[in-house]
mmCIF file of all heavy atoms in Angstrom:
data_model
loop_
_atom_site.group_PDB
_atom_site.id
_atom_site.type_symbol
_atom_site.label_atom_id
_atom_site.label_comp_id
_atom_site.label_asym_id
_atom_site.label_seq_id
_atom_site.Cartn_x
_atom_site.Cartn_y
_atom_site.Cartn_z
ATOM 1 N N GLY A 1380 -60.307 33.121 -2.750
ATOM 2 C CA GLY A 1380 -61.016 34.116 -1.952
ATOM 3 C C GLY A 1380 -61.491 35.268 -2.820
ATOM 4 O O GLY A 1380 -61.583 35.161 -4.042
ATOM 5 N N PHE A 1381 -61.758 36.381 -2.180
ATOM 6 C CA PHE A 1381 -62.308 37.518 -2.899
ATOM 7 C C PHE A 1381 -61.225 38.477 -3.415
ATOM 8 O O PHE A 1381 -61.522 39.400 -4.162
ATOM 9 C CB PHE A 1381 -63.286 38.284 -1.997
ATOM 10 C CG PHE A 1381 -64.486 37.466 -1.627
ATOM 11 C CD1 PHE A 1381 -64.574 36.865 -0.371
ATOM 12 C CD2 PHE A 1381 -65.520 37.274 -2.524
ATOM 13 C CE1 PHE A 1381 -65.679 36.102 -0.022
ATOM 14 C CE2 PHE A 1381 -66.636 36.513 -2.186
ATOM 15 C CZ PHE A 1381 -66.707 35.926 -0.932
ATOM 16 N N ASN A 1382 -59.994 38.264 -3.001
ATOM 17 C CA ASN A 1382 -58.912 39.134 -3.435
ATOM 18 C C ASN A 1382 -58.363 38.705 -4.787
ATOM 19 O O ASN A 1382 -58.489 37.541 -5.198
ATOM 20 C CB ASN A 1382 -57.774 39.129 -2.413
ATOM 21 C CG ASN A 1382 -58.199 39.713 -1.082
ATOM 22 O OD1 ASN A 1382 -59.008 40.644 -1.040
ATOM 23 N ND2 ASN A 1382 -57.672 39.175 0.004
ATOM 24 N N ILE A 1383 -57.734 39.634 -5.484
ATOM 25 C CA ILE A 1383 -57.042 39.320 -6.729
ATOM 26 C C ILE A 1383 -55.776 38.531 -6.393
ATOM 27 O O ILE A 1383 -55.046 38.875 -5.468
ATOM 28 C CB ILE A 1383 -56.684 40.604 -7.493
ATOM 29 C CG1 ILE A 1383 -57.954 41.308 -7.982
ATOM 30 C CG2 ILE A 1383 -55.762 40.308 -8.668
ATOM 31 C CD1 ILE A 1383 -57.707 42.654 -8.633
ATOM 32 N N THR A 1384 -55.523 37.467 -7.148
ATOM 33 C CA THR A 1384 -54.364 36.613 -6.901
ATOM 34 C C THR A 1384 -53.304 36.822 -7.966
ATOM 35 O O THR A 1384 -53.601 36.834 -9.160
ATOM 36 C CB THR A 1384 -54.780 35.126 -6.885
ATOM 37 O OG1 THR A 1384 -55.720 34.908 -5.829
ATOM 38 C CG2 THR A 1384 -53.571 34.224 -6.682
ATOM 39 N N VAL A 1385 -52.063 37.006 -7.523
ATOM 40 C CA VAL A 1385 -50.919 37.113 -8.434
ATOM 41 C C VAL A 1385 -49.759 36.323 -7.833
ATOM 42 O O VAL A 1385 -49.737 36.036 -6.640
ATOM 43 C CB VAL A 1385 -50.482 38.581 -8.653
ATOM 44 C CG1 VAL A 1385 -51.542 39.372 -9.382
ATOM 45 C CG2 VAL A 1385 -50.122 39.256 -7.332
ATOM 46 N N GLY A 1386 -48.795 35.975 -8.686
ATOM 47 C CA GLY A 1386 -47.593 35.329 -8.174
ATOM 48 C C GLY A 1386 -47.298 33.992 -8.823
ATOM 49 O O GLY A 1386 -48.206 33.288 -9.264
ATOM 50 N N ALA A 1387 -46.007 33.649 -8.846
ATOM 51 C CA ALA A 1387 -45.554 32.417 -9.475
ATOM 52 C C ALA A 1387 -45.402 31.271 -8.495
ATOM 53 O O ALA A 1387 -44.857 30.225 -8.846
ATOM 54 C CB ALA A 1387 -44.214 32.668 -10.172
ATOM 55 N N SER A 1388 -45.889 31.430 -7.271
ATOM 56 C CA SER A 1388 -45.689 30.378 -6.275
ATOM 57 C C SER A 1388 -46.408 29.083 -6.652
ATOM 58 O O SER A 1388 -45.968 27.993 -6.287
ATOM 59 C CB SER A 1388 -46.133 30.846 -4.893
ATOM 60 O OG SER A 1388 -47.476 31.280 -4.908
ATOM 61 N N GLY A 1389 -47.513 29.187 -7.392
ATOM 62 C CA GLY A 1389 -48.184 27.975 -7.861
ATOM 63 C C GLY A 1389 -47.279 27.173 -8.779
ATOM 64 O O GLY A 1389 -47.291 25.931 -8.750
ATOM 65 N N LEU A 1390 -46.472 27.861 -9.583
ATOM 66 C CA LEU A 1390 -45.522 27.179 -10.455
ATOM 67 C C LEU A 1390 -44.424 26.510 -9.630
ATOM 68 O O LEU A 1390 -43.988 25.403 -9.948
ATOM 69 C CB LEU A 1390 -44.895 28.174 -11.438
ATOM 70 C CG LEU A 1390 -45.859 29.018 -12.267
ATOM 71 C CD1 LEU A 1390 -45.082 29.891 -13.250
ATOM 72 C CD2 LEU A 1390 -46.866 28.148 -12.996
ATOM 73 N N VAL A 1391 -43.992 27.195 -8.578
ATOM 74 C CA VAL A 1391 -42.989 26.617 -7.679
ATOM 75 C C VAL A 1391 -43.491 25.312 -7.088
ATOM 76 O O VAL A 1391 -42.784 24.292 -7.088
ATOM 77 C CB VAL A 1391 -42.639 27.615 -6.551
ATOM 78 C CG1 VAL A 1391 -41.781 26.933 -5.484
ATOM 79 C CG2 VAL A 1391 -41.921 28.826 -7.117
ATOM 80 N N PHE A 1392 -44.733 25.318 -6.610
ATOM 81 C CA PHE A 1392 -45.297 24.110 -6.012
ATOM 82 C C PHE A 1392 -45.483 23.012 -7.051
ATOM 83 O O PHE A 1392 -45.322 21.827 -6.746
ATOM 84 C CB PHE A 1392 -46.625 24.434 -5.329
ATOM 85 C CG PHE A 1392 -46.470 24.937 -3.923
ATOM 86 C CD1 PHE A 1392 -46.032 26.224 -3.679
ATOM 87 C CD2 PHE A 1392 -46.733 24.112 -2.843
ATOM 88 C CE1 PHE A 1392 -45.873 26.685 -2.381
ATOM 89 C CE2 PHE A 1392 -46.581 24.555 -1.539
ATOM 90 C CZ PHE A 1392 -46.145 25.851 -1.303
ATOM 91 N N GLY A 1393 -45.822 23.400 -8.285
ATOM 92 C CA GLY A 1393 -45.982 22.402 -9.335
ATOM 93 C C GLY A 1393 -44.672 21.724 -9.690
ATOM 94 O O GLY A 1393 -44.606 20.487 -9.804
ATOM 95 N N LEU A 1394 -43.621 22.504 -9.864
ATOM 96 C CA LEU A 1394 -42.312 21.938 -10.179
ATOM 97 C C LEU A 1394 -41.805 21.071 -9.028
ATOM 98 O O LEU A 1394 -41.238 19.988 -9.244
ATOM 99 C CB LEU A 1394 -41.321 23.067 -10.463
ATOM 100 C CG LEU A 1394 -41.613 23.915 -11.708
ATOM 101 C CD1 LEU A 1394 -40.714 25.155 -11.724
ATOM 102 C CD2 LEU A 1394 -41.429 23.121 -12.989
ATOM 103 N N PHE A 1395 -42.027 21.537 -7.807
ATOM 104 C CA PHE A 1395 -41.587 20.785 -6.631
ATOM 105 C C PHE A 1395 -42.336 19.463 -6.513
ATOM 106 O O PHE A 1395 -41.731 18.405 -6.284
ATOM 107 C CB PHE A 1395 -41.807 21.645 -5.382
ATOM 108 C CG PHE A 1395 -41.262 21.043 -4.111
ATOM 109 C CD1 PHE A 1395 -40.042 20.404 -4.088
ATOM 110 C CD2 PHE A 1395 -41.977 21.139 -2.919
ATOM 111 C CE1 PHE A 1395 -39.529 19.865 -2.907
ATOM 112 C CE2 PHE A 1395 -41.487 20.600 -1.740
ATOM 113 C CZ PHE A 1395 -40.259 19.955 -1.734
ATOM 114 N N ALA A 1396 -43.655 19.505 -6.686
ATOM 115 C CA ALA A 1396 -44.453 18.283 -6.601
ATOM 116 C C ALA A 1396 -44.031 17.278 -7.670
ATOM 117 O O ALA A 1396 -43.948 16.068 -7.413
ATOM 118 C CB ALA A 1396 -45.939 18.615 -6.732
ATOM 119 N N PHE A 1397 -43.757 17.775 -8.865
ATOM 120 C CA PHE A 1397 -43.295 16.891 -9.946
ATOM 121 C C PHE A 1397 -42.011 16.170 -9.533
ATOM 122 O O PHE A 1397 -41.883 14.948 -9.691
ATOM 123 C CB PHE A 1397 -43.056 17.716 -11.212
ATOM 124 C CG PHE A 1397 -42.411 16.935 -12.327
ATOM 125 C CD1 PHE A 1397 -43.174 16.142 -13.162
ATOM 126 C CD2 PHE A 1397 -41.036 17.006 -12.529
ATOM 127 C CE1 PHE A 1397 -42.579 15.409 -14.186
ATOM 128 C CE2 PHE A 1397 -40.436 16.284 -13.550
ATOM 129 C CZ PHE A 1397 -41.210 15.487 -14.382
ATOM 130 N N LEU A 1398 -41.059 16.932 -9.005
ATOM 131 C CA LEU A 1398 -39.786 16.337 -8.596
ATOM 132 C C LEU A 1398 -39.951 15.341 -7.457
ATOM 133 O O LEU A 1398 -39.206 14.360 -7.366
ATOM 134 C CB LEU A 1398 -38.815 17.443 -8.185
ATOM 135 C CG LEU A 1398 -38.317 18.358 -9.316
ATOM 136 C CD1 LEU A 1398 -37.605 19.576 -8.741
ATOM 137 C CD2 LEU A 1398 -37.390 17.597 -10.266
ATOM 138 N N LEU A 1399 -40.943 15.581 -6.598
ATOM 139 C CA LEU A 1399 -41.150 14.691 -5.456
ATOM 140 C C LEU A 1399 -41.734 13.340 -5.850
ATOM 141 O O LEU A 1399 -41.417 12.316 -5.235
ATOM 142 C CB LEU A 1399 -42.073 15.355 -4.426
ATOM 143 C CG LEU A 1399 -41.501 16.505 -3.599
ATOM 144 C CD1 LEU A 1399 -42.552 17.023 -2.627
ATOM 145 C CD2 LEU A 1399 -40.243 16.075 -2.839
ATOM 146 N N VAL A 1400 -42.586 13.310 -6.869
ATOM 147 C CA VAL A 1400 -43.334 12.072 -7.150
ATOM 148 C C VAL A 1400 -42.912 11.346 -8.413
ATOM 149 O O VAL A 1400 -43.226 10.160 -8.571
ATOM 150 C CB VAL A 1400 -44.850 12.355 -7.222
ATOM 151 C CG1 VAL A 1400 -45.341 13.008 -5.945
ATOM 152 C CG2 VAL A 1400 -45.201 13.216 -8.428
ATOM 153 N N ARG A 1401 -42.188 11.987 -9.315
ATOM 154 C CA ARG A 1401 -41.945 11.351 -10.612
ATOM 155 C C ARG A 1401 -41.149 10.056 -10.489
ATOM 156 O O ARG A 1401 -41.362 9.101 -11.241
ATOM 157 C CB ARG A 1401 -41.209 12.312 -11.547
ATOM 158 C CG ARG A 1401 -39.808 12.672 -11.077
ATOM 159 C CD ARG A 1401 -39.018 13.373 -12.159
ATOM 160 N NE ARG A 1401 -37.732 13.791 -11.635
ATOM 161 C CZ ARG A 1401 -36.761 14.282 -12.385
ATOM 162 N NH1 ARG A 1401 -36.939 14.421 -13.681
ATOM 163 N NH2 ARG A 1401 -35.612 14.654 -11.838
ATOM 164 N N GLY A 1402 -40.212 10.002 -9.545
ATOM 165 C CA GLY A 1402 -39.411 8.802 -9.387
ATOM 166 C C GLY A 1402 -40.245 7.585 -9.034
ATOM 167 O O GLY A 1402 -39.933 6.464 -9.464
ATOM 168 N N PHE A 1403 -41.308 7.784 -8.275
ATOM 169 C CA PHE A 1403 -42.170 6.669 -7.889
ATOM 170 C C PHE A 1403 -42.997 6.191 -9.079
ATOM 171 O O PHE A 1403 -43.253 4.997 -9.230
ATOM 172 C CB PHE A 1403 -43.075 7.091 -6.734
ATOM 173 C CG PHE A 1403 -42.305 7.455 -5.496
ATOM 174 C CD1 PHE A 1403 -41.996 8.785 -5.213
ATOM 175 C CD2 PHE A 1403 -41.858 6.479 -4.622
ATOM 176 C CE1 PHE A 1403 -41.278 9.127 -4.081
ATOM 177 C CE2 PHE A 1403 -41.138 6.815 -3.479
ATOM 178 C CZ PHE A 1403 -40.840 8.141 -3.212
ATOM 179 N N PHE A 1404 -43.406 7.111 -9.943
ATOM 180 C CA PHE A 1404 -44.122 6.718 -11.150
ATOM 181 C C PHE A 1404 -43.180 6.034 -12.146
ATOM 182 O O PHE A 1404 -43.573 5.094 -12.834
ATOM 183 C CB PHE A 1404 -44.764 7.947 -11.822
ATOM 184 C CG PHE A 1404 -45.911 8.529 -11.058
ATOM 185 C CD1 PHE A 1404 -46.066 9.905 -10.948
ATOM 186 C CD2 PHE A 1404 -46.850 7.720 -10.427
ATOM 187 C CE1 PHE A 1404 -47.125 10.459 -10.254
ATOM 188 C CE2 PHE A 1404 -47.906 8.254 -9.717
ATOM 189 C CZ PHE A 1404 -48.053 9.635 -9.628
ATOM 190 N N ASN A 1405 -41.952 6.516 -12.232
ATOM 191 C CA ASN A 1405 -40.979 5.961 -13.180
ATOM 192 C C ASN A 1405 -40.235 4.751 -12.637
ATOM 193 O O ASN A 1405 -39.487 4.115 -13.379
ATOM 194 C CB ASN A 1405 -39.943 7.031 -13.560
ATOM 195 C CG ASN A 1405 -40.521 8.153 -14.388
ATOM 196 O OD1 ASN A 1405 -41.469 7.950 -15.127
ATOM 197 N ND2 ASN A 1405 -39.952 9.345 -14.268
ATOM 198 N N ARG A 1406 -40.385 4.472 -11.347
ATOM 199 C CA ARG A 1406 -39.645 3.393 -10.685
ATOM 200 C C ARG A 1406 -38.137 3.581 -10.902
ATOM 201 O O ARG A 1406 -37.407 2.684 -11.300
ATOM 202 C CB ARG A 1406 -40.108 2.025 -11.191
ATOM 203 C CG ARG A 1406 -41.583 1.757 -10.931
ATOM 204 C CD ARG A 1406 -42.012 0.416 -11.487
ATOM 205 N NE ARG A 1406 -41.284 -0.681 -10.866
ATOM 206 C CZ ARG A 1406 -41.558 -1.218 -9.677
ATOM 207 N NH1 ARG A 1406 -42.568 -0.753 -8.951
ATOM 208 N NH2 ARG A 1406 -40.849 -2.222 -9.206
#
Side-chain angles (χ1 to χ4, degrees):
F1381 296 102
N1382 296 325
I1383 293 174
T1384 299
V1385 294
S1388 56
L1390 307 183
V1391 170
F1392 275 75
L1394 295 169
F1395 186 41
F1397 172 83
L1398 292 168
L1399 287 181
V1400 304
R1401 65 168 176 171
F1403 297 96
F1404 290 139
N1405 291 331
R1406 300 178 61 80

